[in-house]
């Protein structure tokens, strides 16, 4: 149990806060605003992950590859700063990965594995920590297409083979809730996906660079319906 749930590094959070408070004003540089649509997408997804984590009381976050991994790391850092412990996992067996500046941007990199708090296996992550009636697991996944039922397509588009499922199908089928990242462009948000790679029953949020769509469901009901609500809009006109 101690390996699975290490004590939060509260002292480290306090030290960081004290360092920021004590630094001269001239040395503190404001964070740059999002520079383009991809940055806007990742930041919006991180904020949505924070909101939904708090809403469902999630304890672990299963991160997909690419932009989803960046959003997951940002969400974990925001929650850690507020004193909320959320462990980021990778399906291949990495638990509580390093989400700080020293962490690697590729979730399957050697540095990501070597800096994880626990190394285990796929069966442990997907079969124990991400499933069950009381799993309290949230996931961040990317998709090429998503339909009104929340189904995800990462397999085939216009007859061309894409990357396929990887672990996305297992993740979407197991976790409490899924936050999906996708670009807002023609053919992305559709009535029915061309190929159902991952089931959509747990998909509660779709984040794009221009806004967030949601369809939350009461815990335990298992039914979200086909009605989506515009939860937020992102101003501006990001370049393609």
């Amino acid at each position: 149990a101690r390996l699975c749930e290490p004590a939060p590094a509260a002292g480290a959070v306090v030290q960081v806060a004290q360092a920021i408070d004590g630094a001269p004003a001239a040395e503190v540089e404001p964070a740059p605003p999002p520079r383009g649509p991809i940055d806007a997408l990742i930041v919006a997804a991180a904020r949505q992950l924070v909101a939904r984590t708090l809403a469902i009381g999630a304890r672990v976050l299963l991160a997909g590859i690419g932009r989803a991994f960046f959003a997951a790391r940002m969400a974990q850092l925001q929650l850690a700063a507020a004193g909320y412990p959320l462990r980021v996992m990778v399906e291949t067996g990495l638990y509580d990965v390093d989400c700080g500046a020293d962490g690697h941007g590729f979730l399957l990199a050697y540095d990501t594995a070597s800096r994880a708090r626990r190394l285990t296996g796929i069966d442990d992550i997907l079969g124990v920590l991400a499933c069950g009636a009381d799993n309290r697991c949230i996931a961040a996944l990317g998709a090429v297409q998503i339909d009104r039922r929340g189904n995800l397509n990462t397999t085939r588009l216009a007859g061309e083979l894409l990357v396929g499922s990887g672990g996305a199908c297992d993740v979407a089928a197991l976790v409490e809730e899924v936050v999906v990242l996708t670009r807002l462009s023609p053919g992305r948000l559709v009535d029915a996906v061309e190929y159902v790679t991952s089931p959509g029953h747990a998909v509660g949020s779709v984040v794009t660079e221009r806004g967030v769509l949601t369809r939350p469901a009461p815990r335990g009901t298992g039914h979200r319906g086909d009605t989506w609500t515009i939860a937020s809009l992102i101003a501006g006109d990001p370049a393609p």
Side-chain angles (χ1 to χ4, degrees):
R2 287 194 300 271
L3 286 175
C4 185
E5 289 295 334
V13 175
V14 172
Q15 291 175 4
V16 170
Q18 290 175 343
I20 293 175
D21 291 339
E27 297 180 7
V28 179
E29 297 182 2
R35 298 179 180 178
I38 302 303
D39 293 329
L41 172 62
I42 292 172
V43 171
R47 291 172 176 166
Q48 186 64 12
L49 284 167
V50 168
R52 294 310 303 160
T53 293
L54 296 174
I56 69 173
R59 296 177 295 207
V60 289
L61 194 169
L62 217 167
I65 200 167
R67 300 161 189 170
F69 187 48
F70 280 101
R73 293 170 64 196
M74 289 182 65
Q76 191 278 337
L77 292 174
Q78 292 180 45
L79 289 165
Y84 188 103
L86 180 71
R87 317 298 182 189
V88 174
M89 309 186 300
V90 177
E91 68 191 70
T92 53
L94 310 184
Y95 179 89
D96 199 8
V97 303
D98 185 352
C99 295
D102 293 332
H104 200 285
F106 180 46
L107 82 171
L108 298 180
Y110 171 80
D111 288 345
T112 304
S114 66
R115 298 177 69 87
R117 191 72 66 93
R118 176 185 178 190
L119 300 178
T120 178
I122 295 175
D123 55 343
D124 188 33
I125 296 293
L126 296 181
V128 178
L129 299 176
C131 71
D134 192 37
N135 64 76
R136 291 293 198 276
C137 179
I138 192 169
L141 296 175
V144 173
Q145 276 187 330
I146 179 170
D147 64 24
R148 63 171 57 250
R149 298 174 183 83
N151 297 319
L152 309 181
N153 176 19
T154 56
T155 301
R156 186 175 64 232
L157 189 64
E160 296 292 330
L161 181 66
L162 304 174
V163 296
S165 172
C169 180
D170 302 89
V171 173
L174 293 172
V175 301
E176 174 69 18
E177 186 166 325
V178 179
V179 174
V180 178
L181 291 75
T182 191
R183 294 293 304 277
L184 185 61
S185 55
R188 294 281 188 148
L189 307 182
V190 295
D191 283 336
V193 294
E194 182 175 325
Y195 186 99
V196 179
T197 306
S198 308
H201 65 271
V203 175
S205 303
V206 175
V207 182
T208 76
E209 72 276 16
R210 298 307 303 272
V212 179
L213 300 172
T214 61
R215 54 165 194 167
R219 183 173 175 81
T221 65
H223 178 69
R224 296 180 182 273
D226 298 343
T227 302
W228 295 82
T229 301
I230 299 176
S232 64
L233 294 174
I234 300 174
D237 187 18

